[in-house]
Amino acid sequence: MKSAGRLEKVLTAGQFAVTAELGPPQNANPEAIKKKSQHCLGNVDGANITDNQTAIVRMSSIAAGAIALSCGVEPIIQMVCRDRNRLAMQSDILGAAALGIQNLLCLSGDHQTFGNHPDAKNVYDVDSMQLIAMVKKMRDDKQFLCGDEIKEHEPKLFIGAVANPFADPFEFRVMRLAKKINAGADFIQTQCIFDMKKFAEWMKMVVAEGLHKKVYILAGLTPVRSHKALKYMKNNVAGMSIPDELIARMESAEDPKEEGVKICVEMIEQIKGMEGVSGIHLMPIGWESITPVILERAGLLPRPKV
Amino acid sequence: MIVADRKPLEEILDSIKDYKKIMLMGCGGCVTICFSGGVKAVELLASQIKIARKKQGKPIEIIECTPERQCEFEFIDAFKKDLESAEAVLSIACGVGVQTMSERHEDTITIPGQNTKFMGYPVEHALWEERCAGCGNCVLEWTGGICPIARCAKKLLNGPCGGSSNGVCEVDKDTDCVWQLIYDRLKKLNKLENLMVVRQPKDWRTSTDAGQRRVKFEEAML
């Protein structure tokens, strides 16, 4: 075992894993995390705590993760390369591990021009690939990036990375996944999938390369409440593929919320049958309360004992 | 070449509001090529300033000059005499020119009339794009001659990020995703294996992070 966490145990036991996103608040109120944790408690194997998502200032992901942990939810701390240099990152990795955090997801991070401090200086001292390798070096080689030894208590973290099968160049996306595995990723969470056909095509390439045997892939899903949300993402978020049929289906639905849940459950069914996929990652943006409902209807509850 | 863009006239007027006689100094180097600081730009700006000041009822006298390069003492020294009667210098060279003047003439203030932008070249007539960030440790050898440090908004060495869509950068719809360009070029050159190497974190000391940099050419030292 690389960590002592539940997520790693579920995945190594060959169980279909479930993770969900938990966004920290734009204030210092711990109750917001405690409340959202209740939607995750017992329902997921890990909760992603986002790190200044969309470049908007929020409570620190490590602090929010520690609160989630105190509520009995296993956090997956997200760490972006936008806001910290290699010193601050390594220091926060030690701090996260000391607080009992066992999973770390490495990302580049949304560019600051999308957020609420577009005039900020970004960092990108290391990129997401280098961050993955840095965490692995700290864990497996017991060394800091500079080569100095970590004499004891190295951070035992299960290392996550992201993959976007819908960004360009499409044919490089599988190569990039292979590169992340080589760098040290233990598990992968994908960008949210709306275009199941394209995802299946990508997974076929992943399986053909045998990459699914080297890393656990969790398929990202976002339940939506209205066709407007889909249209917004289609027009405003780069690297998203949203089929028009899906927008039309949501638009013509009598009860769009119910339709959104139905679509998500259908997608989970398709993903369960797909070779090489080890689980799902739910990202119900601003709709965390729907997590247990979807999981129940998809037959993913109760979670297995490990 | 160094590309610079003239500051707005209002800002320039405000920065010289206390003076009755200035020297307006252009540069015959890079900024002449990018139209913002050569002989013609000096003439034009001098007229604009004079007209504006006349309208304010506070006329100004301007000594116009354009050394071959403002970034070398030997060229700016030719205008030493003319400078004596001026209260200040308004420079429309790049930031290097402004500082060369400041160092050479400690008692005279040199005011920048330009915003120095980047090192680049004209991709078409009258349109310049950034190409080099002067990071001091060139990576063009394995990127197919296309720079991710100067052209990627995240300076990724292991790109592209997930925001690359239809060849365009997520940060700006008018900007190519440089990692798409690198991918396409390496594919053409049959060198895609260059992208499979996990590139190590960069040593930023050669860039701006270890203070002022210096280049010595030993063979030419006197």
Side-chain angles (χ1 to χ4, degrees):
Chain A
M1 290 288 285
K2 290 162 175 165
S3 66
R6 174 179 171 85
L7 179 64
E8 186 180 357
K9 282 181 195 150
V10 168
L11 286 167
T12 49
Q15 300 278 357
F16 194 79
V18 174
T19 59
E21 194 166 280
L22 198 166
Q26 287 178 264
N27 56 50
N29 183 6
E31 297 307 318
I33 304 290
K34 289 178 185 165
K35 198 175 157 199
K36 282 184 179 180
S37 290
Q38 293 316 306
H39 303 307
C40 293
L41 188 62
N43 296 328
V44 301
D45 305 311
N48 280 52
I49 318 290
T50 50
D51 180 13
N52 289 337
Q53 196 181 14
T54 61
I56 288 170
V57 176
R58 290 171 183 277
M59 186 191 292
S60 133
S61 65
I62 294 171
I67 297 166
L69 194 61
S70 73
C71 299
V73 174
E74 177 166 315
I76 301 164
I77 296 304
Q78 298 198 1
M79 182 174 272
V80 301
C81 301
R82 180 192 59 229
D83 306 330
R84 278 166 286 192
N85 72 2
R86 61 190 80 178
L87 279 87
M89 282 174 146
Q90 290 177 100
S91 141
D92 279 351
I93 287 164
L94 294 181
L99 287 168
I101 285 155
Q102 288 162 325
N103 310 287
L104 185 96
L105 187 81
C106 309
L107 312 96
S108 301
D110 295 313
H111 195 266
Q112 74 276 10
T113 48
F114 295 110
N116 59 358
H117 292 77
D119 48 353
K121 182 182 195 302
N122 65 28
V123 182
Y124 295 111
D125 177 25
V126 295
D127 64 25
S128 61
M129 201 72 70
Q130 295 159 350
L131 173 58
I132 296 166
M134 185 166 82
V135 187
K136 187 179 160 66
K137 188 173 182 174
M138 291 173 81
R139 183 192 67 192
D140 296 350
D141 302 341
K142 299 177 188 167
Q143 277 177 16
F144 291 105
L145 182 62
C146 62
D148 284 358
E149 190 191 352
I150 302 174
K151 292 190 179 107
E152 54 177 335
H153 286 91
E154 71 278 10
K156 290 188 177 138
L157 294 160
F158 197 44
I159 305 170
V162 295
N164 185 356
F166 311 106
D168 290 317
F170 180 65
E171 59 277 24
F172 184 63
R173 291 292 153 184
V174 175
M175 292 167 70
R176 187 164 158 81
L177 172 65
K179 209 172 156 177
K180 286 194 172 177
I181 298 168
N182 289 341
D186 299 312
F187 71 97
I188 298 288
Q189 291 174 325
T190 76
Q191 169 71 291
C192 40
I193 303 159
F194 293 106
D195 187 343
M196 199 48 85
K197 220 174 113 194
K198 199 164 183 182
F199 177 67
E201 195 188 328
W202 183 77
M203 272 313 299
K204 230 182 210 168
M205 291 161 75
V206 169
V207 170
E209 293 288 328
L211 299 179
H212 62 304
K213 290 185 177 150
K214 298 178 182 169
V215 77
Y216 300 104
I217 298 170
L218 310 186
L221 292 171
T222 290
V224 288
R225 284 174 280 193
S226 75
H227 73 280
K228 281 181 195 155
L230 288 173
K231 269 190 175 163
Y232 177 83
M233 285 189 269
K234 191 180 176 101
N235 297 327
N236 296 294
V237 184
M240 293 279 259
S241 176
I242 301 177
D244 290 328
E245 306 91 78
L246 197 68
I247 299 174
R249 181 173 162 188
M250 280 300 288
E251 199 167 4
S252 61
E254 266 180 41
D255 181 353
K257 276 190 183 177
E258 168 58 22
E259 199 65 24
V261 171
K262 232 163 140 181
I263 290 169
C264 194
V265 172
E266 282 170 25
M267 283 181 168
I268 294 173
E269 281 313 312
Q270 283 174 279
I271 286 164
K272 273 186 191 166
M274 224 178 256
E275 191 186 356
V277 183
S278 301
I280 56 156
H281 173 52
L282 270 188
M283 292 169 273
I285 305 159
W287 197 18
E288 279 94 344
S289 60
I290 204 66
T291 298
V293 177
I294 290 171
L295 296 176
E296 184 67 53
R297 281 173 61 174
L300 292 169
L301 292 182
R303 299 305 307 142
K305 283 203 164 55
V306 286
Chain B
M1 59 182 279
I2 294 169
V3 180
D5 195 18
R6 218 192 72 189
K7 283 180 180 284
L9 185 62
E10 293 67 32
E11 189 182 336
I12 293 176
L13 288 171
D14 187 59
S15 67
I16 56 168
K17 64 178 186 301
D18 298 332
Y19 308 114
K20 294 191 183 78
K21 184 172 181 179
I22 62 164
M23 171 180 272
L24 174 54
M25 186 180 267
C27 175
C30 309
V31 293
T32 291
I33 313 298
C34 69
F35 305 143
S36 60
V39 176
K40 282 187 180 161
V42 168
E43 272 174 30
L44 178 68
L45 179 59
S47 316
Q48 286 175 312
I49 293 171
K50 280 186 216 162
I51 292 166
R53 287 287 290 261
K54 208 170 177 184
K55 273 188 186 167
Q56 292 172 4
K58 290 189 281 182
I60 186 168
E61 214 179 310
I62 300 177
I63 307 159
E64 298 174 32
C65 66
T66 303
E68 197 171 328
R69 284 197 293 279
Q70 203 183 117
C71 58
E72 279 186 69
F73 291 151
E74 70 172 282
F75 296 113
I76 57 173
D77 283 351
F79 301 95
K80 224 172 185 170
K81 265 257 159 284
D82 304 313
L83 187 60
E84 278 168 15
S85 62
E87 295 168 84
V89 179
L90 174 62
S91 162
I92 53 170
C94 69
V96 182
V98 174
Q99 293 182 70
T100 312
M101 280 296 287
S102 298
E103 271 191 64
R104 197 56 154 181
H105 302 286
E106 282 185 343
D107 300 329
T108 310
I109 188 158
T110 301
I111 296 157
Q114 297 244 49
N115 291 316
T116 307
K117 301 291 227 181
F118 50 74
M119 285 184 272
Y121 72 90
V123 289
E124 57 186 79
H125 180 67
L127 176 65
W128 290 265
E129 275 187 8
E130 182 169 16
R131 287 295 181 268
C132 179
C135 75
N137 190 1
C138 194
V139 297
L140 292 172
E141 180 266 321
W142 61 265
T143 61
I146 301 169
C147 183
I149 305 296
R151 299 177 69 182
C152 170
K154 299 177 182 175
K155 296 183 171 51
L156 301 183
L157 283 172
N158 293 284
C161 74
S164 176
S165 191
N166 300 314
V168 173
C169 171
E170 65 173 353
V171 174
D172 176 19
K173 286 188 172 70
D174 294 324
T175 302
D176 292 326
C177 166
V178 71
W179 277 102
Q180 173 81 54
L181 298 179
I182 293 171
Y183 175 83
D184 292 343
R185 177 123 173 90
L186 290 175
K187 194 175 176 187
K188 220 178 203 171
L189 296 171
N190 235 341
K191 284 194 181 297
L192 276 181
E193 73 270 13
N194 285 7
L195 295 186
M196 290 314 291
V197 181
V198 176
R199 301 289 165 181
Q200 295 304 304
K202 197 170 166 64
D203 180 346
W204 295 106
R205 282 174 298 185
T206 59
S207 185
T208 52
D209 294 73
Q212 184 203 283
R213 295 170 283 175
R214 185 175 286 122
V215 173
K216 205 187 253 182
F217 188 49
E218 298 280 0
E219 288 85 342
M221 304 251 335
L222 296 173

